[in-house]
Amino acid sequence: MASAFTDDGRPSPVVGALGAIALLVLIAGVVLVFQRAGDETPLTVATGGTGKIVFTSDRGDDLDVYSVSPDGTGRAQLTDSRSDDQTPAWSPDGTKIAFESNRDGNWEIYVMNADGTNQVRLTDNPETDVFPRWVPDGGRIVFSSARNRNFDIFIMHADGKNQQPLTREASSDTAPAFSPDGSKVVYQSLREGNEDIFVMNVDGTNQTRLTEDPAQDWLPVWSPDGTKIAFQRARADGNSFDIWVMDANGSSERQVTRTKDSAVAPTWSPDSTKLAFSSYRGGGIRVLVTNLDGTGLAQITGGSGYNSYIPDWQRDRSLAPPTTTTTTAPPAPPTTRRPTTRR
């Protein structure tokens, strides 16, 4: 796996081009390769959809957080810190956005209002803290942290207090995301020698492997209706990806995208019928949207020479299943037994 950091310890979200074939992007402590196959096929502009989509873009001199409607209209810049702000995540009620930033010299977790005001730092650790995602009741946030010499999954209160590890593995656990009812966390792990998708209880117990494919499986995200998990899987070349979907128990894996260029970082529409994701198209990385069967591919973001990464689609709470009430007590110590293989 490519290193996620420069020699001075700084993650570099866009570390440049590999000739004319790829861009490297840091997400959740690992480097993604955006394969550029030269697909310039025009796409229709997305129409309809509810909620807003937040994403990271290099439209300015650095990476900032933006929001946009699902039809590509109403784009707004939310951060402008003269540093890199990325990996935004909507709070369940749509009033706040968590994100990661290196504005204070180290990658930390921040939160702001949905309009970009009141930006507040939540973590303050000399090691890297990245990829925040909210507990469905809005009371806590999970994130990836390298404070234990490798990336583990941590959880904290939404105000940054009571930061506790959920995993303590010798290999990296990254990219956490909650089930809609708040009872489980899905994440990617290198513990079996390959990046696979795992799931655990909210207290860190019952860590179970969901995928067991020779290819790398990254960036899982639960559907709002709780029935499916989307993720990206590496192609045979090992350097590009497609979006896949499986049932929430790890069964019935099926491929969604079949684009020439990499398709990465999926996020669900509020009604669980579509997926937005990032892919290289027409001179830059765009946010695209597709139906679950791969049809209806359309473009949400554009702009020649600009890139748009890591979208997160605002939820519609009226469509979400009831959440499990979470307590403010520290999580139980993670299980020490080996993960149970589902297959």
Side-chain angles (χ1 to χ4, degrees):
M1 181 184 299
S3 172
F5 303 96
T6 59
D7 290 339
D8 62 0
R10 279 172 44 91
S12 183
V14 182
V15 287
L18 296 176
I21 63 168
L23 290 176
L24 299 181
V25 179
L26 173 74
I27 301 179
V30 293
V31 171
L32 299 184
V33 181
F34 282 87
Q35 202 75 3
R36 302 199 294 191
D39 190 349
E40 305 296 333
T41 306
L43 289 176
T44 60
V45 177
T47 59
T50 61
K52 289 275 190 177
I53 295 172
V54 287
F55 61 97
T56 304
S57 180
D58 59 0
R59 292 173 180 271
D61 295 331
D62 43 51
L63 294 177
D64 287 301
V65 176
Y66 291 75
S67 66
V68 70
S69 295
D71 62 1
T73 63
R75 187 182 69 243
Q77 183 174 350
L78 302 181
T79 67
D80 186 13
S81 65
R82 306 303 177 189
S83 59
D84 291 326
D85 305 322
Q86 63 174 22
T87 322
W90 284 106
S91 65
D93 64 4
T95 64
K96 295 184 181 298
I97 298 167
F99 62 101
E100 65 193 59
S101 177
N102 64 357
R103 63 182 64 184
D104 292 317
N106 188 55
W107 286 99
E108 305 287 355
I109 306 300
Y110 290 73
V111 70
M112 62 182 169
N113 295 333
D115 62 0
T117 59
N118 194 30
Q119 297 178 22
V120 177
R121 187 170 69 182
L122 298 183
T123 63
D124 187 4
N125 190 280
E127 300 299 332
T128 297
D129 296 326
V130 293
F131 209 82
R133 289 295 182 265
W134 296 79
V135 177
D137 67 7
R140 292 193 285 177
I141 294 171
V142 288
F143 61 100
S144 303
S145 178
R147 61 187 68 181
N148 290 341
R149 300 181 64 86
N150 55 266
F151 279 99
D152 282 307
I153 308 301
F154 278 68
I155 192 168
M156 63 181 170
H157 293 169
D159 61 3
K161 296 178 180 178
N162 199 26
Q163 298 174 25
Q164 301 285 338
L166 294 181
T167 66
R168 293 185 181 94
E169 287 290 321
S171 57
S172 290
D173 298 328
T174 59
F178 262 88
S179 62
D181 67 0
S183 66
K184 296 183 181 297
V185 181
V186 67
Y187 59 102
Q188 71 184 63
S189 178
L190 193 57
R191 65 185 65 182
E192 299 293 343
N194 189 61
E195 291 284 2
D196 285 303
I197 307 303
F198 283 71
V199 68
M200 63 182 166
N201 295 334
V202 66
D203 63 0
T205 61
N206 196 27
Q207 298 176 20
T208 304
R209 190 178 185 179
L210 293 183
T211 65
E212 195 173 350
D213 192 274
Q216 306 286 324
D217 296 330
W218 290 358
L219 301 181
V221 59
W222 229 295
S223 63
D225 65 9
T227 64
K228 300 177 185 65
I229 295 171
F231 60 99
Q232 65 181 63
R233 171 167 287 171
R235 298 171 180 167
D237 61 14
N239 289 326
S240 56
F241 297 84
D242 277 303
I243 305 300
W244 288 65
V245 167
M246 62 183 169
D247 291 347
N249 64 1
S251 64
S252 302
E253 295 177 352
R254 55 269 197 199
Q255 185 174 347
V256 176
T257 63
R258 300 180 186 275
T259 57
K260 292 181 180 179
D261 302 288
S262 276
V264 304
T267 182
W268 291 88
S269 64
D271 62 2
S272 301
T273 65
K274 297 179 183 294
L275 287 165
F277 59 94
S278 296
S279 184
Y280 193 90
R281 178 68 65 119
I285 300 171
R286 313 298 186 202
V287 176
L288 309 181
V289 65
T290 184
N291 297 323
L292 297 187
D293 62 0
T295 63
L297 188 64
Q299 185 169 316
I300 295 175
T301 65
S304 178
Y306 300 127
N307 297 301
S308 302
Y309 319 100
I310 327 170
D312 188 56
W313 205 324
Q314 192 176 32
R315 300 293 181 256
D316 183 341
R317 291 179 65 85
S318 68
L319 300 176
T323 59
T324 299
T325 301
T326 58
T327 67
T328 57
T335 179
T336 57
R337 68 175 177 84
R338 296 298 294 169
T340 300
T341 301
R342 178 182 54 80
R343 302 177 183 181

